[in-house]
Amino acid sequence: VDEQLVIIGGNTAGLAAALAARRRRADLRILVLEASGEISWGACGLPYNLADPTRAPEDLRVRPAAFFHEQDIQLALGQRVLAVDPTARRLQLERRGAGGVERLELAWDRLVVASGARSRELTIPGLPATRLAPLKTLDDLRAWKERLGGLRRVAVAGAGPLGLELCEALRQLGLEVLLVDPEPLPLKGWPRELRAAVAAELERQGVRLRLGWSIRRAEDQPLACRLELESPAGGTALEEVELVAACAGITPNTEFLPRSLERTAAGALAVSAALRVGGLPVWAAGDCACREPAVPARAGESARVWNPQAREALTGGRVAGWNAAAGADERQATPGTLTQVLRCFGLELARCGRLSEPDEVAAAPAVVDIPPVSGLLGLGMARAARPSAAAPAAVRRSRAAGQTLGHALPGAGRLEVWLEAEPDGRLRGGAILSEGCGGALRINPLAALLQRAGTAAELAALDLAYSPPFGPLADPLLRAAEHLSQPSAAPLP
Ligand SMILES: Cc1cc2nc3c(=O)[nH]c(=O)nc-3n(C[C@H](O)[C@H](O)[C@H](O)COP(=O)(O)OP(=O)(O)OC[C@H]3O[C@@H](n4cnc5c(N)ncnc54)[C@H](O)[C@@H]3O)c2cc1C
């Protein structure tokens, strides 16, 4: 039977889906529709490519079109899907070519939606579009590189992971950088002490911080634009920059799908564990989709968590493509652990699983705080915070601090670990702050355990590698886990 699988989106998730579909069925017609003129490239490298004037944007390309043609996968570039009718199994698209723009209709038997996400629009009254620069596509990177020579001062709007990576890239290029965010600290949703350490590091590296401030309006001038900032207390400030980097987050590309399909508040498409959309012959993966992670939700948390990360796109794409080719939910996606790692100048930061919001944490009944230790085993110094009478959440938390290297080797830096577990000991999540030295990769054993509903006791019992150049014998990750696995830890008097 000459059946047609159509895949919307020709990057990580879409191409992983195409290759998996080909492995599952040799006789399927596979067509990838891609709105831009690019396929198969790595967005994660954008800030690092920008920071290096010797590298061309094209270095980010991963696989050439010929590789997919050899697998009998048809690629259609410059073709944007405008609307999908899942009942009639048809879609409308806009094709851009030398002869202009034309609209077409296309029939399909199975569909994979892998349309990713776009930079969230940032509207600042008075700011012309020419002074606003996102960094989400290869064309964005080309535009940045073209205008770098004329830049001296840049405002980065948004202190999330991308905003921080961009601050580092721009400082590396010798630019003055102003970081603006309405939140009082960078990295909303991460542990508060970690966020404070990141703010201090940014300042140390010469990034001027306007945290807790918003850009109210802008006034364009011949050589720069003047930004008017305001604080929640009603204060105002003026700043002059040549460009504003739009780092206020991303929005899933799902507007071409029927409104009746379930979406999260952010607009990501709700999918099952097999990455299926409703009961339709439609599967979705990558930044446009949202599924349930390995860590179950507590009361008040949403079951599905949007996790726009590259591995989610790659592994999800494979499952979506396989199932779409099979026409059945033969495979389930491995439960995601929401693991994230990034660098901010001299700091490495990682998190995984679910972390309670700071307010919840303040009310948590069994907070333990393990201060830095100089001896071999620091558990004797562990102390627990006072239980809160009105605590609704019985999440247990621990925090351990130490050094990145053992035996006070030169170059050792700060290493801190935060962990959370359910009252029965099942791990919920954690975060790591490391001053260089690869310390953030300690998140990996935690991620592996979270994927299997592991406990703090299991984490504490892991026989991990040790030698002084790689970390201390009493590793903060294991110490934090050990403390968390002892529910009898004495509360503070
Ligand atoms: C600067 C930056 C740094 C990042 N760093 C990391 C990192 O360190 N680690 C990590 O895990 N992740 C990182 N990510 C996220 C990671 O790049 C994404 O999760 C991943 O690229 C998602 O892949 P995707 O295939 O779902 O979406 P995309 O890569 O966005 O691909 C979707 C494709 O669909 C196309 N499309 C959209 N709408 C339509 C339509 N209507 N019709 C046809 N085609 C359409 C788009 O043009 C696009 O090519 C980073 C992202 C950015 C931008």
Side-chain angles (χ1 to χ4, degrees), residues 270-289:
V271 292
S272 68
L275 306 191
R276 192 157 194 168
V277 180
L280 302 166
V282 179
W283 288 260
D287 285 5
C288 64

Side-chain angles (χ1 to χ4, degrees), residues 57-80:
E58 291 67 33
D59 283 4
L60 294 179
R61 287 188 180 140
V62 181
R63 280 176 160 153
F67 173 83
F68 298 95
H69 293 150
E70 280 161 19
Q71 321 279 324
D72 196 18
I73 293 165
Q74 201 188 338
L75 304 173
L77 304 192
Q79 311 218 4
R80 176 176 296 280

Side-chain angles (χ1 to χ4, degrees), residues 7-16 32-48 76 78-84 92-94 113-119 135-137 140 161-163 165-166 250 252-256 285-289 307-314 317 339-343:
I7 297 171
I8 305 175
N11 204 13
T12 314
L15 296 174
V32 179
L33 299 174
E34 168 52 50
S36 74
E38 297 282 349
I39 55 136
S40 191
W41 65 281
C44 312
L46 284 169
Y48 305 98
Q79 311 218 4
R80 176 176 296 280
V81 174
L82 302 176
V84 170
Q92 286 168 17
L93 62 90
E94 187 182 76
V113 183
S115 47
R118 61 184 177 280
S119 202
L135 184 61
K136 181 70 179 76
T137 66
D140 293 341
L162 170 59
E165 287 181 344
L166 197 50
I250 53 174
N253 294 319
T254 55
E255 63 289 335
F256 53 83
D287 285 5
C288 64
N307 186 33
Q309 294 275 308
R311 272 200 210 284
E312 178 88 18
L314 182 70
T339 304
Q340 202 176 350
V341 63
L342 74 136
R343 190 182 72 192

Side-chain angles (χ1 to χ4, degrees), residues 4-5 7 62 81 86 111 123 136 163 230 235 237 251 275 332 341 343 370 382 393 407 413 456 461 464 470:
Q4 172 86 69
L5 167 65
I7 297 171
V62 181
V81 174
L111 187 70
T123 331
K136 181 70 179 76
E230 70 179 352
T251 303
L275 306 191
Q332 308 263 307
V341 63
R343 190 182 72 192
I370 308 172
H407 289 288
L464 301 183
F470 300 94

Side-chain angles (χ1 to χ4, degrees), residues 31-201:
L31 169 65
V32 179
L33 299 174
E34 168 52 50
S36 74
E38 297 282 349
I39 55 136
S40 191
W41 65 281
C44 312
L46 284 169
Y48 305 98
N49 187 294
L50 176 64
D52 183 352
T54 66
R55 286 185 63 195
E58 291 67 33
D59 283 4
L60 294 179
R61 287 188 180 140
V62 181
R63 280 176 160 153
F67 173 83
F68 298 95
H69 293 150
E70 280 161 19
Q71 321 279 324
D72 196 18
I73 293 165
Q74 201 188 338
L75 304 173
L77 304 192
Q79 311 218 4
R80 176 176 296 280
V81 174
L82 302 176
V84 170
D85 182 343
T87 319
R89 299 194 189 190
R90 300 188 77 79
L91 60 81
Q92 286 168 17
L93 62 90
E94 187 182 76
R95 182 161 67 186
R96 283 179 187 274
V101 180
E102 55 177 332
R103 287 200 172 197
L104 304 168
E105 213 174 84
L106 189 73
W108 48 270
D109 299 295
R110 288 103 191 243
L111 187 70
V112 170
V113 183
S115 47
R118 61 184 177 280
S119 202
R120 189 179 295 157
E121 234 168 87
L122 195 62
T123 331
I124 301 170
L127 188 75
T130 49
R131 295 233 182 253
L132 195 59
L135 184 61
K136 181 70 179 76
T137 66
L138 269 185
D139 279 344
D140 293 341
L141 177 63
R142 290 184 186 109
W144 268 97
K145 291 214 162 200
E146 270 167 29
R147 58 191 306 180
L148 271 180
L151 294 181
R152 198 162 63 83
R153 293 154 304 178
V154 175
V156 173
L162 170 59
L164 300 188
E165 287 181 344
L166 197 50
C167 283
E168 184 178 333
L170 298 175
R171 288 297 294 146
Q172 221 167 307
L173 289 164
L175 301 181
E176 287 176 33
V177 180
L178 172 77
L179 179 62
V180 189
D181 195 300
E183 285 290 317
L185 289 170
L187 292 179
K188 185 171 191 275
W190 292 60
R192 197 189 299 274
E193 304 90 339
L194 178 149
R195 299 173 69 191
V198 171
E201 174 69 1

